[in-house]
Amino acid sequence: MSSICRTKPVEGLRLLNRVLTTSTPYIHWSDRSIATVAFEEVRSSPEKPYDFTAFIFHGLLGSGRNWRSFSRSLGSSLSADGVNWRMILVDLRNHGNSAKIEGFVPPHDMENAAKDVANLVNSKGWDWPDVVIGHSMGGKVALQYVESCSRGVYGQSARLPKQLWVLDSVPGKVNPDDSNREVEKVMQTLQSLPSPIPSRKWLVDHMLKLGFSKALSEWLGSNLEKSGDGMTWNFNIEAAAEMFDSYREKDYWPLLEHPPKGTEIAIVHAEKSDRWDPETVQKLESIASNGTGGSEGKMSYHLLPNSGHWVHVENPKGLLEIITPKLASIV
């Protein structure tokens, strides 16, 4: 049965106050010959075998490292009973270290971004992930991953995750007229900039002059890497723009209405995010309240208070309080 959830303090999150693991995560590169994505692995106890695996997908123009701190906290909070989780922070195609890898087959869309993850699992000989978590555009990549997996696209050996978390990502088509079009403005601006970029300071100052916020400008600057006398992006802007177009066009409402058996799809709505309209929220609440058939999976809706779109930065403790007990229930 599906449910609507509001954030409640989680007893036992005392571990959040403990010193989190400070070990440096290892950076892994998949086999470039088959153009699979780069990733970073985070464990609370690297010296111990892991019991469960969660894959985490970042948003547009981001990278797996954006979720490093949150992943450490999540792994630590889940280790109360001696259970060791492995967090795989994926750099989606055209982003982060994956932007340095050649050979990703176009089109650059949600289907192929999700298939990259399946290729990674197969190339490494891993078990399929127990949990998949996606933020923003990564949320739709996660939805596509489950949708494709349920249809057998990844082969008979592929196993659906027990839980799929979609963090502040509207599941239906995104109408640009319903937003302030900031993302479109950012993409257009970045595509018009010189290459290489003179310096990080130059970029920040330039974006500020154009009216973008200091926080956004500095975050964009963090995605620059030294290249000769200038700096270049750690993402492929043209291909990322294609992915953004696919993200806007994809509609996963049918998947939420009929989730595959054995999988719970959890939607997290950031209270202060500007990406949600009343009709979308009402539809999610209706699906969650009415439940799905006995032969299908579950869908739940969660409201994260005191947070805008950047949920892992603006209210990481609240997000942990929502996710941790759910993941702990898998054990």
Side-chain angles (χ1 to χ4, degrees), residues 27-40 55-58 88-105 112-121 123-124 126 141 243:
I27 304 294
H28 297 260
W29 293 79
S30 51
D31 186 351
R32 294 189 183 200
S33 65
I34 57 173
T36 48
V37 288
F39 66 95
E40 180 176 320
F55 279 22
I56 301 180
F57 305 156
H58 59 82
I88 299 296
L89 316 185
V90 176
D91 282 354
L92 299 174
R93 60 166 54 203
N94 308 309
H95 291 75
N97 286 324
S98 292
K100 301 178 178 71
I101 301 174
E102 297 180 354
F104 289 110
V105 178
N112 279 327
K115 189 176 181 181
D116 292 339
V117 178
N119 289 341
L120 173 63
V121 173
S123 70
K124 305 301 288 188
W126 289 339
V141 175
M243 295 176 72

Side-chain angles (χ1 to χ4, degrees), residues 123-315:
S123 70
K124 305 301 288 188
W126 289 339
D127 290 333
W128 296 85
D130 302 284
V131 172
V132 175
I133 301 171
H135 174 241
S136 195
M137 184 185 74
K140 280 198 169 179
V141 175
L143 286 164
Q144 182 62 53
Y145 172 86
V146 166
E147 196 274 337
S148 295
C149 190
S150 69
R151 291 190 292 108
V153 173
Y154 305 146
Q156 294 183 347
S157 65
R159 179 170 57 84
L160 283 161
K162 298 180 178 68
Q163 294 179 17
L164 166 64
W165 289 84
V166 181
L167 309 180
D168 209 53
S169 183
V170 175
K173 289 187 177 182
V174 178
N175 184 349
D177 294 333
D178 293 338
S179 68
N180 62 13
R181 300 181 65 87
E182 183 180 48
V183 177
E184 290 91 336
K185 293 175 184 175
V186 169
M187 298 298 287
Q188 291 169 3
T189 299
L190 297 189
Q191 288 174 293
S192 70
L193 295 178
S195 181
I197 305 292
S199 69
R200 186 172 287 114
K201 183 180 184 303
W202 181 92
L203 175 77
V204 173
D205 290 344
H206 182 73
M207 299 299 286
L208 288 173
K209 289 177 183 177
L210 294 176
F212 293 101
S213 70
K214 183 178 180 181
L216 174 61
S217 301
E218 291 181 342
W219 178 77
L220 287 170
S222 71
N223 288 290
L224 288 170
E225 297 178 344
K226 189 69 176 175
S227 177
D229 294 332
M231 305 194 82
T232 57
W233 298 111
N234 66 354
F235 48 73
N236 181 328
I237 184 62
E238 301 295 338
E242 290 183 43
M243 295 176 72
F244 177 60
D245 289 340
S246 174
Y247 156 80
R248 291 194 301 183
E249 288 299 317
K250 291 297 294 185
D251 182 354
Y252 295 101
W253 282 116
L255 182 64
L256 296 187
E257 292 165 346
H258 304 284
K261 187 174 183 179
T263 297
E264 177 176 354
I265 301 177
I267 305 292
V268 175
H269 166 200
E271 182 183 34
K272 297 180 180 180
S273 173
D274 63 358
R275 286 158 171 77
W276 302 85
D277 59 71
E279 183 181 354
T280 299
V281 173
Q282 184 178 20
K283 189 172 182 178
L284 285 170
E285 291 180 334
S286 177
I287 296 172
S289 296
N290 294 332
T292 56
S295 62
E296 299 178 333
K298 302 176 181 178
M299 180 268 172
S300 59
Y301 170 74
H302 309 258
L303 182 67
L304 176 64
N306 303 316
S307 178
H309 181 62
W310 306 103
V311 292
H312 55 306
V313 175
E314 298 184 43
N315 190 3

Side-chain angles (χ1 to χ4, degrees), residues 10 13 78 163 319-330:
V10 177
L13 277 182
L78 287 165
Q163 294 179 17
L319 187 58
L320 284 171
E321 290 174 348
I322 292 175
I323 294 179
T324 300
K326 283 281 193 177
L327 265 62
S329 70
I330 292 177

